[in-house]
Amino acid sequence: MLIFEKGQEGRKMSILPECDVPISLPKEDDQRKKSLHLPNVSENEISRHYTEAAKKAYGVNDGFYPLGSCTMKYNPKINEYIASLPGFAQIHPLQPEHTVQGCMEVLKTTEQYLCEITGMDRMTFQPAAGAHGEFTGLLLIKAYHESRGDGKRTKIIVPDSAHGTNPASASMVGYSVISIPSGEDGGVDLEELKKVVGEDTAGLMLTNPNTLGLFDRNILEITNIIHEAGGLTYYDGANLNAIMGMIRPGDMGFDVVHLNLHKTFSTPHGGGGPGSGPVGCKNLLAEFLPNNLVEEKNGYLFKSPVQSTGQVKSFYGNFLIVVRAMTYLFMLGKEGIPEASKHAVLNANYMMAKLKDVYDMAYPRTCMHEFVMSLSRLKKENGISAMDIAKGLLDHGIHPPTMYFPLNVSEALMVEPTETESKETLDQAITVFRSLYETAKLNPEILHQAPVNTSVTRLDEVRAARNLILRYDFSDKETDKDDTEN
Amino acid sequence: MGSFVPATDRDKKEMLSAIGIDSIEDLFGQLPQDVKLMDGLNLPSGMSEMEVCRKMEGIAAKNTVFPVIFRGAGAYRHYIPAVVKSVLSKETLYTAYTPYQAEISQGILQSIFEYQTMICELTGMDTANASVYDGAAAAAEAVAMCRDRKKTKAFVSAAVHPQVMETIKTYCFGNGMELTVIPEKDGITDLNFLKEHIDGQTACVYIQNPNYYGSLELAREIGSIAKAADAKYIMGVNPISLGVIKTPEEYGADIAVGEGQPLGLPLAFGGPYIGFMACTKELIRKLPGRIVGETVDFNGKTGYVLTLQAREQHIRREKALSNICSNQALCALAVGVYLSAMGAEGLKQTAIQCMSKAHYMANQLEAIGYPVINHGEFFHEFVTISKVPVEKVMSALEEAGILGGYPLTGERAGQILWCCTEMNAKDDIDRVIGILREV
């Protein structure tokens, strides 16, 4: 039941005191005439409504969440407490600098930590999500080439295994995209790369380890090929959790990088945001970063780079997300950061080892923090798709892996267990995966029907797109006085 | 050192043996040796939870939390009902992922569907998306969605928030749209300039109402000029003002956008905030970001899914109009709870209180020699000239624990942008007046 269907006309909460000054209203002509339908509910009804919503949702706190390329690690509760401190939550973004030295210390210190982890020189926190970071990083690349009067660089090279946002971001910045296929080992095909690189190459976008869960062994050669052609290299930080503290994008030859604080640095996903996608870069790009970098000089002050690309959103980014990430970084520190990566990789390889005799691995070699299974054989022999296995997992209280991605593996399921899961959890999941395989072989019909233990069964997505219902319709509740009343 | 890794030495040993290797390091053998970090990171050691707690509390204490605030300029302090925080603290809701697996995400999808409905109701428009990063990004995305092959120019009023202007500029630098700034005249958008310069290649006209200086624009007239040139009309609005002021739909807008922070989100030093976007039926397929739609399951039961994904980067990849995937779902949840708690009547009362307090304060300021320079109507922000140096005014207020209005710069140096909300009691306003009388 939607919240609009609960409550009664006239029911409400008492939030506001009486107005203690004379009333001023807009001129008649500027006053709202259109009716406004909002819920008429008590606090109790609101509270129960969202408790019910929580029961019909699934968070990291509810169980195993092995979602490839999304790093759904546990979200430490200390992060939430710190982010709720009035000294962070109740600060106006336009307070004078001397009254926000704590906030600026958060930005500066987190910048220093993340620059050390990525091997970059400077970092902006303005981008609000990974894709927003991609957009910002590509703007830096564009501004760099333009500042040198190099107008012929119009193309961005992106591997076919890349995240879908990579080509979309390149397009938003006015670049055309050259997609290059992966080689037999799952890495970038060097011969293909050499064929397409040239005077029109603005840059390359890459994540390493890539979305097949593999570390590209030729990485130094790849970044070198791009640099020799005069292009720049962009590191998509979605998979940083596999390598932090072990190797750095900056040392692998990348010029610009975005991070996903909500992935690698344990800030909650919130059902799809707010995230944070800070962008780091080498010095050659720093003068193009967005406004308001924090400098330290007898205290902290904001300074905008001379050739800044301006703003990609208001103010300084999703600040409270940065606070959470910094809390996490302080806890882990020098030793804990690589420890997290090591165990993320250990967990993934363990699960892969325990499943590879039944499920086909797309690339059966040592993986990083995630691995990709291909269910095309199961599909052919038993009619069971990646979707069917995913929906089967729902009935066992496990969030499914990423489905049908990467695009270059057919019937792909991409599993990322993360370092915060215990061996017992992994063992249970392995048992479930194996039993679903048995079911697929012996009793496939059950999986076509899955899920059955959820609040709704499989939903008709085609109908949703054909017969668009995108809001609640109040029209049958309208009375004739509506739209004339004030 | 803090750690969230549960593996014991014994677990580790068993797992390594299942893989068939001796040490975790073997898994990293494929990394190029010459760039591998041999000495580790140059960072401090990790800390226990208690140490981190103390340290972070200490850093937070270096900020000044003003008990009284008369500053807005794009970020507004409103009362947040306690139930908002209570709902947002539900672990399942704040630790969930983007709801791709609809069957176990109905709570989140339904809350977004409710949010979309509320944004449509507020703005009067037909369809809303599931939110974008913030008001500035919403404005920039709205401008970008109006572009087509023949229409590549955008007209943006000089009286919009400067950071919104900056963000639109940045997106235009990216996508190659030509941006024209419509100058302001007497603190509102100059209609004559727009009339003279708008042409057939104009994709859209963007204004903010109330504008950066708090004034109401001649919004209906601007819409007519845009329509006559076959350009889309985008209005940026303050959502609280819609409790009492005409909706973008009533002013003839095609797209309504804005900063949703006033609807239940704390100031938070600028973020996370939430951008809302709503449009007419005709533009649904150009609306960026996530959209939730209603459908049915195998058994005919009503349910919700992410829909219209063909517009997005999953399918169109390099042809996608926007790269937005993760939005501000948890913030959208806060907005939904806030608007449920306020109800239509509560929102209207909030708007009226904001406006009334601003007008009361404006009158008081004028009486002590701070003339208001807004010519026409204003909502909850207004600009005064300061007869004494602005820094002196601000310091005097700061000493009393009050964050004064925002000092404007450039051509408007010496002017102050004041803001009142329902949070500003008459006593506090009178206190400000008393202090300024002394300065």
Side-chain angles (χ1 to χ4, degrees), chain B residues 44-322:
Chain B
S45 284
M47 290 180 257
S48 65
E49 179 172 320
M50 194 170 103
E51 287 168 292
V52 172
C53 195
R54 276 195 192 144
K55 188 164 170 78
M56 294 302 290
E57 282 172 342
I59 294 171
K62 293 178 190 171
N63 296 318
T64 308
V65 180
F66 285 97
V68 180
I69 295 180
F70 286 93
R71 191 166 291 189
Y76 301 94
R77 193 177 63 140
H78 289 281
Y79 184 73
I80 302 175
V83 70
V84 175
K85 192 173 177 186
S86 156
V87 170
L88 257 52
S89 312
K90 291 180 191 300
E91 289 177 336
T92 290
L93 297 177
Y94 78 75
T95 71
Y97 182 60
T98 308
Y100 291 128
Q101 296 292 342
E103 295 84 358
I104 51 163
S105 306
Q106 286 302 298
I108 286 167
L109 288 159
Q110 183 182 316
S111 79
I112 295 173
F113 186 80
E114 291 171 348
Y115 163 85
Q116 288 172 187
T117 304
M118 291 180 196
I119 295 300
C120 289
E121 281 295 317
L122 273 185
T123 56
M125 310 304 286
D126 300 320
T127 313
N129 70 11
S131 78
V132 293
Y133 310 131
D134 75 347
E141 291 278 354
V143 168
M145 77 185 256
C146 295
R147 181 197 173 134
D148 69 25
R149 261 183 310 156
K150 289 183 189 142
K151 291 179 174 282
T152 55
K153 292 184 187 173
F155 279 74
V156 179
S157 165
V160 306
H161 193 291
Q163 302 213 351
V164 170
M165 178 68 84
E166 280 290 317
T167 306
I168 294 174
K169 263 187 201 161
T170 305
Y171 277 64
C172 288
F173 168 71
N175 66 23
M177 279 179 89
E178 185 189 319
L179 175 72
T180 304
V181 177
I182 317 165
E184 52 162 289
K185 202 178 165 207
D186 301 331
I188 59 170
T189 308
D190 183 348
L191 262 60
N192 286 328
F193 178 93
L194 178 61
K195 260 184 229 160
E196 282 162 23
H197 291 82
I198 197 168
D199 61 19
Q201 287 160 5
T202 306
C204 61
V205 176
Y206 179 88
I207 67 153
Q208 184 180 317
N209 189 60
N211 68 22
Y212 183 55
Y213 309 111
S215 292
L216 296 194
E217 293 279 357
L218 298 168
R220 170 67 49 210
E221 289 81 346
I222 295 170
S224 305
I225 298 170
K227 284 278 144 59
D230 194 26
K232 296 285 182 284
Y233 181 31
I234 311 170
M235 279 180 76
V237 286
N238 177 307
I240 298 282
S241 77
L242 297 176
V244 66
I245 291 174
K246 257 193 183 136
T247 63
E249 188 267 346
E250 289 170 294
Y251 284 124
D254 299 289
I255 305 171
V257 297
E259 175 55 68
Q261 176 270 328
L263 305 174
L265 297 178
L267 288 169
F269 200 51
Y273 288 0
I274 177 174
F276 60 85
M277 296 185 77
C279 65
T280 57
K281 280 193 189 80
E282 292 70 39
L283 292 171
I284 288 179
R285 279 162 208 283
K286 291 198 137 192
L287 191 63
R290 293 282 150 81
I291 298 174
V292 169
E294 187 184 300
T295 187
V296 292
D297 72 358
F298 270 1
N299 304 321
K301 190 175 171 188
T302 299
Y304 303 90
V305 293
L306 292 171
T307 194
L308 288 177
Q309 298 195 58
R311 304 159 303 129
E312 290 187 68
Q313 23 82 25
H314 310 287
I315 295 164
R316 289 168 60 93
R317 286 172 75 97
E318 56 267 21
K319 290 196 189 93
L321 297 169
S322 163

Side-chain angles (χ1 to χ4, degrees), chain A residues 11-89:
Chain A
R11 188 175 294 162
K12 59 179 182 178
M13 285 180 62
S14 33
I15 310 268
L16 295 180
E18 289 289 311
C19 190
D20 55 4
V21 298
I23 298 294
S24 298
L25 291 173
K27 280 199 290 263
E28 185 63 28
D29 191 42
D30 281 318
Q31 282 183 28
R32 178 179 184 124
K33 299 288 187 301
K34 197 175 175 96
S35 60
L36 171 60
H37 301 95
L38 291 175
N40 302 298
V41 287
S42 63
E43 180 167 328
N44 186 357
E45 281 171 306
I46 295 175
S47 193
R48 285 190 185 153
H49 180 74
Y50 289 104
T51 297
E52 198 184 316
K55 282 183 198 156
K56 291 193 270 178
Y58 187 95
V60 169
N61 264 71
D62 295 291
F64 190 37
Y65 228 118
L67 196 52
S69 266
C70 293
T71 310
M72 294 294 286
K73 63 170 71 176
Y74 177 72
N75 305 131
K77 300 308 161 199
I78 182 72
N79 294 358
E80 299 309 305
Y81 166 70
I82 300 296
S84 73
L85 292 172
F88 292 132

